[in-house]
Amino acid sequence: MQNSSGDARHTEQIEAHGLKALRLSASGSEALVYLHGAHLASFRTSEHGELLWTSELAVYAPGKAIRGGVPLCFPWFGPHATQSYLPAHGFARTREFRFEGSEMRGDNVVAELSLSSSEDTLPLFPHSFTARLRLTVGRELSVAFEVENTGVEPLDYELALHTYLGVSDVRHVEVSGLGDAVYDDKVSGERALTQGREPLRFTGETDRVYDSSARVTVLDVARKRRLVIDKTCSATTVVWNPWIEKAKRMADFGDDEWPGMLCIEAANTGARRISLPPESRHTTTTIISAETP
């Protein structure tokens, strides 16, 4: 990886919404990632336009998570299992990452950002670690999150690449790839349900954690595209849309924005959390692309 100045032809260091950010471009595609939370906010291709979604009411400020794009939920997902006063979804999405550099690999630009344990993180998560986000931008987008255990004790963590996809209307898209998968329904509280083989369609608030490592596709006829979400080393897939009432309860989410987004998240949560021995590492990756149906 090159020094932190990056490849100037394909990596531009900018300021957006008052925060440090990188604009990455290659093969007709462009991505925007903030150092704040290593938060990927945009991925746009020349053929299919913007593939992600970010709220018009998103807050861009230290200590605040950005609503949309790809927040990093680490080192736990949802509320902390034993200490409810700790921030939901961990602390990575509100920490400043370090830009380690970028380089061209074939037709893609690859950028790396890192976060290491510190005096600030140890009271929240008493483990030594180094986390690295590697973004590969080209005709498709790869988001790889690596965690290295730099301590002398085993380290357990949860992770979700909380991907907000942009859709024309969530009520009219179809999700395929989860057929026969077992899932927990966090809206109803039911556990160990089984998804039917027909495509998943949305008629209300949806918050499901699937035991699945399969490719997922989102058919969006109105936008004349199919979003393809591949992943590696991810044993769970989270599917989420807040629908009407929950959207109204979120200050950084417009009341009428919910039809335009759908979260399909590569994750390792709950019983599928990652256990890292000392001096070992694990990488979870999601790969996002679009095609014409």
Side-chain angles (χ1 to χ4, degrees):
M1 195 65 63
Q2 296 184 3
N3 63 35
S4 60
S5 62
D7 185 332
R9 296 169 298 167
H10 301 277
T11 305
E12 184 182 2
Q13 299 187 56
I14 64 172
E15 185 175 286
H17 294 283
L19 299 174
K20 295 178 181 178
L22 307 172
R23 183 179 289 121
L24 308 171
S25 57
S27 300
S29 298
E30 184 177 284
L32 175 68
V33 58
Y34 292 92
L35 272 61
H36 175 70
H39 189 110
L40 179 70
S42 172
F43 175 63
R44 179 181 297 274
T45 72
S46 57
E47 182 176 359
H48 295 284
E50 179 63 63
L51 303 191
L52 303 179
W53 175 93
T54 299
S55 173
E56 294 291 334
L57 300 182
V59 177
Y60 301 87
K64 300 291 185 180
I66 300 170
R67 176 71 67 183
V70 186
L72 301 177
C73 300
F74 169 84
W76 58 86
F77 178 72
H80 191 279
T82 60
Q83 302 175 64
S84 60
Y85 59 88
L86 292 178
H89 293 319
F91 51 77
R93 62 186 185 149
T94 59
R95 289 297 193 278
E96 189 83 358
F97 279 62
R98 173 186 171 87
F99 175 41
E100 298 292 353
S102 66
E103 62 185 21
M104 288 299 294
R105 296 181 186 173
D107 295 331
N108 303 315
V109 59
V110 182
E112 181 176 300
L113 296 87
S114 69
L115 175 72
S116 294
S117 52
S118 65
E119 292 182 358
D120 290 335
T121 67
L122 288 172
L124 305 175
F125 186 63
H127 299 282
S128 296
F129 70 88
T130 295
R132 301 176 183 88
L133 183 76
R134 296 189 184 94
L135 296 174
T136 303
V137 176
R139 291 181 178 85
E140 62 182 22
L141 169 72
S142 171
V143 182
F145 190 70
E146 176 191 271
V147 178
E148 179 181 2
N149 183 352
T150 57
V152 297
E153 300 292 336
L155 179 161
D156 288 358
Y157 70 91
E158 293 181 293
L159 166 71
L161 303 173
H162 198 325
T163 306
Y164 289 74
L165 301 170
V167 296
S168 58
D169 190 323
V170 72
R171 294 165 291 190
H172 303 302
V173 302
E174 296 181 352
V175 173
S176 299
L178 296 169
D180 294 330
V182 174
Y183 68 93
D184 292 343
D185 190 324
K186 297 174 71 175
V187 176
S188 69
E190 296 175 280
R191 299 175 61 85
L193 302 173
T194 300
Q195 177 69 37
R197 293 189 177 184
E198 68 281 357
L200 175 62
R201 298 177 178 87
F202 300 87
T203 58
E205 181 184 351
T206 302
D207 192 353
R208 299 179 177 182
V209 180
Y210 286 86
D211 189 5
S212 173
S213 57
R215 164 186 282 196
V216 173
T217 63
V218 181
L219 177 61
D220 191 340
V221 173
R223 288 195 176 175
K224 300 179 181 179
R225 72 187 189 189
R226 179 184 289 109
L227 300 175
V228 181
I229 303 92
D230 283 305
K231 57 180 186 168
T232 63
C233 299
S234 163
T236 51
T237 297
V238 180
V239 178
W240 181 71
N241 181 281
W243 220 252
I244 301 169
E245 294 305 319
K246 189 163 187 175
K248 290 179 179 179
R249 297 196 297 269
M250 294 186 285
D252 59 350
F253 199 119
D255 291 355
D256 58 353
E257 288 187 314
W258 61 269
M261 54 72 59
L262 173 63
C263 286
I264 306 287
E265 310 169 34
N268 289 295
T269 68
R272 298 292 195 169
R273 66 175 61 84
I274 302 300
S275 295
L276 279 183
E279 300 182 0
S280 65
R281 61 185 68 185
H282 182 276
T283 303
T284 300
T285 305
T286 187
I287 303 106
I288 301 167
S289 60
E291 59 188 25
T292 301

